[in-house]
Amino acid sequence: MARVLLFGPLRDLAGWRERTIEAGSLSALKAAIAAEDAALAEALDGPGVQVALDQALVRGDPKLAAGSEVAFLPPMSGG
Amino acid sequence: MARVLLFGPLRDLAGWRERTIEAGSLSALKAAIAAEDAALAEALDGPGVQVALDQALVRGDPKLAAGSEVAFLPPMSGG
Amino acid sequence: MSITLTEEPFDAGALLSDFTRGRTETGAVATFTGIARAEQGSTATLELEAYPGFTEAEIGRIAEQARARFGLDDLLILHRVGEIAPGEPIVFVATAAGHRRAAFEACDFLMDYLKSKAPFWKKEHGPGGARWIEPTDADHADRARWEQETDR
Amino acid sequence: MSITLTEEPFDAGALLSDFTRGRTETGAVATFTGIARAEQGSTATLELEAYPGFTEAEIGRIAEQARARFGLDDLLILHRVGEIAPGEPIVFVATAAGHRRAAFEACDFLMDYLKSKAPFWKKEHGPGGARWIEPTDADHADRARWEQETDR
């Protein structure tokens, strides 16, 4: 069960900010999202979207542990 | 009678900050000062010393009116 | 070194008073206060979202860079999140250094970073609806100045 | 636009609070606070002399230049005169503008002027006696930056 967080425009698009989703890897997590919201899944792969796993930026397809926190960060706007 | 003001190191050298001196022009004023304090008179002509007449910088040998304020400004140090 | 996010309005002056107090070895304190503009009378409200923990840590990394690069004695960053009304301060940065050039440059550097790259997402609620905002070209150009300087 | 000389210690934060209050159209406020350093534990006191009237007028001329050159909404300069103890603020400059670059640059410009050319005479009373101070080479170099920019 990963805790999934969405920020900025991704949150508006999805209609939620935080959910728990069953997935053992980032690619499995995205597949689970795509199965119910194709537009959101496409946006998560959009230009400039970064992924943070337990508050550190990651690339590739990391494994997810029970209680992992996965955040999808669209391009940052600055303050 | 001109009101004469000294600032910074000129004031320390002269031992006074403000005096009234009888003089009809800047050159006459300097001559009056030289008559009693040659070291001060020399310092007033030293490098970077500016003269303000009634709070405006002047050059040359302006006439002094009764109640003129003449200030000798050594090089400014900034704040 | 203090980095804080807050949902409450703040008084930049009170922060400066605290920051300046008792600094007998610091010659120079520079500050910047960013204020939400009313944008010619429109009553736009800003909504600023952060990723708690991550956002402070990312700002902290850059603050540590600034401290080392400019030889700062200390720095303070306070940033609003949540809903911000026109006229309210959004961000306050203070830098303390021995001499003024370091204090000014560090403050400028930190603001360029905060405005262009810090992990915030900003939404403007105006009369015509809401829209997400991205950094301006000027913000990117401002930040790029510091990278060019490093290359020299 | 406010230019003041004062013989009393002041709180930079209180000045910033007043300066910032109610500015709904100003996006950016930059400040600088200069503090008398204790200079590695020596207990030097500064004595700063101005020519009342003339000094404010000269600073006002430069302040008006800064206002026009950088498009400032407002500015404030407060400068101590008389005896200043280590740790006490000597000068506070605040600039308000629509955007941060103008506010920063104007504040920097005003400080360079104040430190190198403003009509003050500064005496340091240290353990080894008193001496009059002239601007450093760095102060002159800082100020010269703005003249080069005008030439371009």
Side-chain angles (χ1 to χ4, degrees):
Chain A
M1 295 292 279
R3 202 165 140 248
V4 180
L5 304 176
L6 302 181
F7 290 91
L10 292 176
R11 183 239 301 167
D12 280 2
L13 175 67
W16 51 272
R17 179 191 295 265
E18 176 174 345
R19 283 179 59 180
T20 53
I21 296 177
E22 185 75 54
S25 69
L26 179 59
S27 58
L29 174 64
K30 285 182 173 176
I33 289 171
E36 62 174 83
D37 188 340
L40 175 59
E42 193 179 330
L44 295 182
D45 282 327
V49 174
Q50 298 182 86
V51 179
L53 172 57
D54 295 331
Q55 305 225 334
L57 294 176
V58 290
R59 286 162 188 266
D61 186 22
K63 298 279 171 245
L64 304 182
S68 287
E69 180 177 291
V70 179
F72 291 95
L73 312 175
M76 295 153 182
S77 65
Chain B
M1 297 290 279
R3 200 164 142 249
V4 180
L5 305 176
L6 302 181
F7 291 91
L10 292 175
R11 184 238 302 167
D12 279 1
L13 176 67
W16 51 270
R17 180 192 294 265
E18 176 173 346
R19 284 179 58 182
T20 53
I21 297 176
E22 185 75 55
S25 69
L26 180 60
S27 58
L29 174 64
K30 285 182 173 177
I33 289 172
E36 61 175 84
D37 188 340
L40 175 59
E42 193 180 325
L44 296 182
D45 282 328
V49 174
Q50 300 183 83
V51 179
L53 172 58
D54 295 330
Q55 306 225 336
L57 294 176
V58 290
R59 286 161 187 267
D61 186 22
K63 298 276 171 250
L64 304 182
S68 286
E69 179 176 293
V70 179
F72 291 95
L73 311 175
M76 295 153 182
S77 65
Chain C
M1 199 163 108
S2 158
I3 292 158
T4 313
L5 304 182
T6 176
E7 298 203 352
E8 302 299 317
F10 65 86
D11 174 9
L15 296 170
L16 176 57
S17 294
D18 288 347
F19 188 75
T20 306
R21 190 166 298 131
R23 290 199 182 278
T24 54
E25 298 301 328
T26 283
V29 172
T31 76
F32 181 83
T33 309
I35 300 169
R37 274 193 301 274
E39 303 289 358
Q40 272 71 44
S42 88
T43 52
T45 296
L46 278 182
E47 183 188 339
L48 211 60
E49 190 181 5
Y51 179 5
F54 181 85
T55 297
E56 293 96 319
E58 287 289 303
I59 295 174
R61 258 181 349 105
I62 303 295
E64 180 50 38
Q65 267 183 35
R67 201 197 53 69
R69 175 171 180 170
F70 299 101
L72 298 181
D73 296 337
D74 197 4
L75 67 85
L76 179 150
I77 297 173
L78 185 81
H79 211 297
R80 282 284 296 280
V81 292
E83 309 243 316
I84 300 160
E88 288 182 355
I90 303 173
V91 58
F92 179 77
V93 174
T95 53
H99 293 277
R100 72 182 181 285
R101 184 113 337 270
F104 269 131
E105 290 191 351
C107 197
D108 195 7
F109 170 90
L110 287 168
M111 277 308 305
D112 283 350
Y113 164 74
L114 288 168
K115 292 296 288 184
S116 65
K117 285 201 78 176
F120 293 103
W121 296 274
K122 188 159 55 178
K123 199 176 190 175
E124 195 178 277
H125 296 267
R131 66 184 187 95
W132 291 97
I133 295 174
E134 304 225 342
T136 64
D137 289 346
D139 289 328
H140 286 304
D142 282 342
R143 189 174 49 78
R145 294 181 306 151
W146 305 101
E147 286 153 20
Q148 285 157 6
E149 278 187 30
T150 307
D151 292 345
R152 269 185 220 148
Chain D
M1 198 163 107
S2 158
I3 292 159
T4 313
L5 304 182
T6 176
E7 299 203 352
E8 301 300 317
F10 64 87
D11 174 8
L15 296 170
L16 176 57
S17 294
D18 288 349
F19 188 75
T20 306
R21 191 166 296 130
R23 291 199 182 278
T24 54
E25 299 300 329
T26 284
V29 172
T31 76
F32 182 83
T33 309
I35 300 169
R37 273 194 302 274
E39 302 290 357
Q40 271 71 45
S42 88
T43 53
T45 297
L46 278 182
E47 183 188 339
L48 211 60
E49 190 181 4
Y51 179 7
F54 181 85
T55 297
E56 293 95 320
E58 288 289 303
I59 294 173
R61 256 180 352 103
I62 302 294
E64 179 50 38
Q65 267 184 33
R67 203 198 52 70
R69 174 171 180 171
F70 299 102
L72 298 181
D73 297 337
D74 198 5
L75 66 86
L76 178 148
I77 298 172
L78 185 81
H79 212 297
R80 281 285 295 280
V81 292
E83 308 243 318
I84 300 159
E88 289 183 354
I90 302 173
V91 57
F92 179 77
V93 174
T95 53
H99 294 278
R100 72 180 180 286
R101 184 113 336 271
F104 270 130
E105 291 191 349
C107 198
D108 196 7
F109 170 91
L110 287 167
M111 277 308 305
D112 283 350
Y113 164 74
L114 288 167
K115 290 298 286 185
S116 65
K117 286 201 78 175
F120 293 102
W121 297 274
K122 188 159 56 178
K123 199 176 191 175
E124 196 177 276
H125 295 266
R131 66 184 187 96
W132 291 97
I133 295 174
E134 305 226 338
T136 64
D137 289 346
D139 289 329
H140 286 304
D142 282 343
R143 190 175 47 79
R145 294 180 306 151
W146 305 102
E147 286 152 20
Q148 285 157 4
E149 277 187 29
T150 308
D151 293 345
R152 270 184 221 148

